Amino acid sequence: MASGTIPMVIYFGLKLISPHFFLVTACLVCSVTALATGTSWGTVGTVGVAFIGIAMGLGLPLGPAAGAIVCGAYFGDKMSPFSTSPTWPR
């Protein structure tokens, strides 16, 4: 919060994301972030916090928003070659 990253994502998210496509957008962005970084916990702790703020700002229910965030983060983590959690025997 001190560096302004999460507030910036919330600001632009409120401007760019339609409430009709919020759940799909949250799932896809979290999936791509976790795929690139290899961490689902880090994704939920940064991008996920921002998307919860966006959901609150758009007046959407927080349960489905949290589900989309966690679903995308874990999916991206399992598909990532950088992840420490194996998806298949290596």
Side-chain angles (χ1 to χ4, degrees):
M1 290 294 273
S3 68
T5 304
I6 292 174
M8 181 196 69
V9 172
I10 292 173
Y11 174 78
F12 285 113
L14 288 171
K15 297 280 185 195
L16 299 174
I17 299 173
S18 168
H20 298 308
F21 298 109
F22 175 79
L23 295 177
V24 174
T25 303
C27 187
L28 288 175
V29 169
C30 287
S31 184
V32 168
T33 304
L35 181 71
T37 61
T39 173
S40 57
W41 286 74
T43 300
V44 170
T46 54
V47 180
V49 171
F51 273 108
I52 288 293
I54 294 168
M56 290 173 62
L58 293 175
L60 298 172
L62 298 182
I69 292 164
V70 171
C71 176
Y74 278 115
F75 177 77
D77 179 42
K78 294 299 178 190
M79 295 296 114
S80 177
F82 304 117
S83 178
T84 57
S85 58
T87 55
W88 58 85
R90 294 182 181 186

